C-alpha cells in the first residue's frame, strides 16, 4: 500500500511538473533545460540565482514561475536605497490600540522575485539570510514563519559592476543552484520577437497548479531513497573539492546537502523512487559551481568554476553499488 502511494505521488508530480514546464515554456521559448532546473529547485525546496547579461529573460523566467502557480508572488527591485525592513517587514505603533503591529515585508510570499539583488547594500542583502535558510523572519525579537512552499528567485547582472555589491560567499551558499539563461537560438529568438512584440505573454499565462499541491509534492520528494553509496559519493565530491589544488574554497556541507536534495527532485521528475549517481552528476555544476572559489593559479589560467567542478566529476570514482 505504501509503495502504491509513492507511485501515485510520483505520477502526480510528473503531471504537475509537466504542466508547469509547459506554461513557463510558452513564455520562455527554447530553454527547456533552464525551465527544468527551475522546477527541480522548486521541488527540492531550494532557492535559485539567475545570473546573465541584460535582456535575456531573467526576470520573465521568475515571473513565469510565479504565474504558473496559484500562490502569492512578490517582486523586490533591489536598489542601493532599499532598506532591510522593506524586505522583512517592520513593527508600526498603532495609536488607537496603543500597541505595535507587524506589517509584513515583501519576503512574505510563496515565490519572491529578487530583481538585481547585487544592487542592494550588503545589509539589505543579509535581510534574506534567515528567510532563505530557515523559512522564517525575526523582527523585534519576534519570529514569524513564512508560507510554504517558499522560494527566492534572484537575478543579477555579472557584466555591469558599477553601483553593485557582489554577493558574499555566505549569501551565495544559500542559493541551491545558479543558472545562466544564455542567448536564445536564432529560430527561438525570431518566434519570441514576433510573439512578444504583439502582446505580453505573461498577461495570458494562467496558473496550472496551486501552492498546497506544490507543498505536498515537495514533502513527497524528501521521502525518496538515497542509498548510503550515493550519499558517500556526494561526500567524496565534497572532500575532493576541499583538497583540490585549483580551489581556494571547496564545497560546504550545506552545498552537499543541497546536492542530495536536488538529486532527489531530479529522480522524482524522472519517475524514480531512488536516487542514482547520474542525478548527482547532472546537477553538480549548477548546484556547486557558484559556491567554490578558484585558486590564484586557476584564475591566472582563466579556468572557470564550472570547468573545475566538471573535472571533479571526472576524477572522483562512483562508489561500487551506487547504481
Amino acid at each position: 500500500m505504501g509503495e502504491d502511494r509513492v507511485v501515485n505521488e510520483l505520477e502526480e508530480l510528473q503531471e504537475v511538473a509537466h504542466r508547469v514546464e509547459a506554461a513557463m515554456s510558452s513564455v520562455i521559448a527554447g530553454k527547456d533545460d533552464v525551465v527544468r532546473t527551475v522546477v527541480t529547485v522548486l521541488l527540492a525546496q531550494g532557492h535559485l540565482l539567475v545570473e546573465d547579461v541584460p535582456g535575456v529573460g531573467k526576470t520573465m523566467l521568475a515571473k513565469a514561475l510565479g504565474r504558473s502557480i496559484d500562490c502569492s508572488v512578490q517582486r523586490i527591485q533591489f536598489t542601493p536605497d532599499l532598506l532591510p525592513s522593506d524586505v522583512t517587514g517592520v513593527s508600526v505603533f498603532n495609536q488607537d490600540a496603543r500597541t505595535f503591529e507587524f506589517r509584513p515585508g515583501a519576503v512574505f510570499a510563496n515565490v519572491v522575485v529578487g530583481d538585481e539583488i547585487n544592487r542592494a547594500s550588503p545589509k539589505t542583502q543579509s535581510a534574506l539570510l534567515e528567510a532563505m535558510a530557515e523559512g522564517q523572519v525575526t523582527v523585534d525579537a519576534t519570529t514569524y514563519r513564512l508560507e510554504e512552499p517558499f522560494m527566492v528567485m534572484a537575478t543579477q547582472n555579472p557584466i555591469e559592476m558599477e553601483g553593485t555589491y557582489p554577493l558574499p560567499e555566505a549569501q551565495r551558499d544559500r542559493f541551491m543552484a545558479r543558472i545562466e539563461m544564455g542567448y536564445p537560438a536564432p529560430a527561438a529568438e525570431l518566434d519570441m520577437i514576433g510573439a512578444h512584440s504583439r502582446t505580453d505573454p505573461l498577461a495570458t499565462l494562467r496558473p496550472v497548479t496551486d501552492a498546497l499541491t506544490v507543498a505536498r509534492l515537495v514533502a513527497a520528494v524528501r521521502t525518496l531513497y538515497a542509498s548510503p553509496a550515493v550519499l558517500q559519493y556526494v561526500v567524496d565530491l565534497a572532500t575532493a573539492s576541499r583538497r583540490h589544488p585549483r580551489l581556494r574554497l571547496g564545497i560546504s556541507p550545506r552545498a552537499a546537502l543541497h546536492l542530495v536534495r536536488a538529486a532527489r527532485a531530479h529522480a522524482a521528475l524522472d519517475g524514480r523512487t531512488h536516487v542514482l549517481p547520474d542525478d548527482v552528476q547532472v546537477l553538480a555544476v549548477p548546484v556547486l559551481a557558484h559556491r567554490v572559489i578558484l585558486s590564484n593559479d586557476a584564475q591566472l589560467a582563466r579556468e572557470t568554476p564550472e570547468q573545475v567542478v566538471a573535472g571533479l566529476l571526472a576524477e572522483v570514482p562512483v562508489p561500487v553499488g551506487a547504481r
Side-chain angles (χ1 to χ4, degrees):
M1 183 66 69
E3 186 175 344
D4 291 341
R5 179 183 59 81
V6 172
V7 171
N8 291 336
E9 285 178 340
L10 285 181
E11 290 177 351
E12 182 187 10
L13 183 145
Q14 287 183 293
E15 180 186 352
V16 171
H18 177 73
R19 294 203 305 264
V20 172
E21 290 175 355
M24 295 179 64
S25 295
S26 68
V27 176
I28 308 295
K31 294 294 178 183
D32 293 344
D33 55 338
V34 170
V35 170
R36 171 54 67 97
T37 302
V38 173
V39 175
T40 301
V41 173
L42 172 69
L43 293 174
Q45 204 175 20
H47 309 288
L48 185 67
L49 181 63
V50 187
E51 190 174 69
D52 216 321
V53 297
V56 294
K58 300 187 298 295
T59 303
M60 186 164 287
L61 176 73
K63 287 182 176 180
L65 175 66
R67 293 282 182 92
S68 300
I69 305 171
D70 187 12
C71 64
S72 55
V73 181
Q74 292 276 15
R75 178 178 178 272
I76 309 173
Q77 180 63 56
F78 282 85
T79 57
D81 59 350
L82 189 74
L83 299 176
S85 58
D86 296 328
V87 177
T88 60
V90 63
S91 295
V92 178
F93 187 71
N94 186 318
Q95 293 281 4
D96 297 330
R98 312 294 293 177
T99 58
F100 282 93
E101 295 179 351
F102 177 66
R103 295 186 179 176
V107 77
F108 283 84
N110 295 116
V111 177
V112 177
V113 181
D115 217 358
E116 295 187 295
I117 189 173
N118 56 333
R119 289 204 174 278
S121 67
K123 185 176 182 179
T124 301
Q125 291 176 7
S126 65
L128 281 172
L129 286 175
E130 182 184 13
M132 294 174 65
E134 302 172 39
Q136 65 184 30
V137 168
T138 302
V139 178
D140 294 336
T142 303
T143 299
Y144 304 90
R145 294 295 305 177
L146 298 174
E147 300 178 33
E148 292 187 358
F150 173 67
M151 180 180 183
V152 174
M153 283 188 67
T155 72
Q156 70 172 357
N157 173 9
I159 302 299
E160 188 180 352
M161 291 291 103
E162 185 176 352
T164 63
Y165 303 86
L167 292 178
E169 283 71 28
Q171 183 91 23
R172 294 176 72 88
D173 201 44
R174 290 324 198 265
F175 288 98
M176 176 173 284
R178 183 191 73 91
I179 59 173
E180 297 178 358
M181 293 290 294
Y183 291 111
E189 188 169 7
L190 180 62
D191 292 340
M192 181 271 293
I193 291 173
H196 292 200
S197 61
R198 293 191 298 268
T199 60
D200 179 7
L202 288 172
T204 58
L205 189 60
R206 295 291 178 264
V208 295
T209 187
D210 55 49
L212 288 176
T213 300
V214 172
R216 181 161 47 80
L217 296 178
V218 167
V221 165
R222 287 198 293 263
T223 65
L224 262 65
Y225 179 69
S227 69
V230 169
L231 299 181
Q232 184 63 54
Y233 180 46
V234 174
V235 172
D236 290 346
L237 287 171
T239 303
S241 74
R242 297 163 193 163
R243 301 170 179 169
H244 202 283
R246 313 303 282 178
L247 294 177
R248 186 157 51 93
L249 178 67
I251 300 166
S252 69
R254 181 189 288 116
L257 176 61
H258 281 182
L259 183 56
V260 173
R261 284 167 48 185
R264 282 194 170 102
H266 190 270
L269 288 171
D270 276 356
R272 283 182 279 104
T273 59
H274 59 282
V275 180
L276 295 176
D278 296 352
D279 301 310
V280 174
Q281 293 169 349
V282 166
L283 291 162
V285 170
V287 172
L288 303 178
H290 65 288
R291 307 168 190 260
V292 300
I293 298 180
L294 297 177
S295 66
N296 292 333
D297 290 342
Q299 293 181 39
L300 288 173
R302 297 187 179 277
E303 293 184 52
T304 66
E306 289 78 9
Q307 290 172 333
V308 175
V309 171
L312 274 175
L313 294 174
E315 296 167 11
V316 176
V318 177
V320 176
R323 292 189 180 275

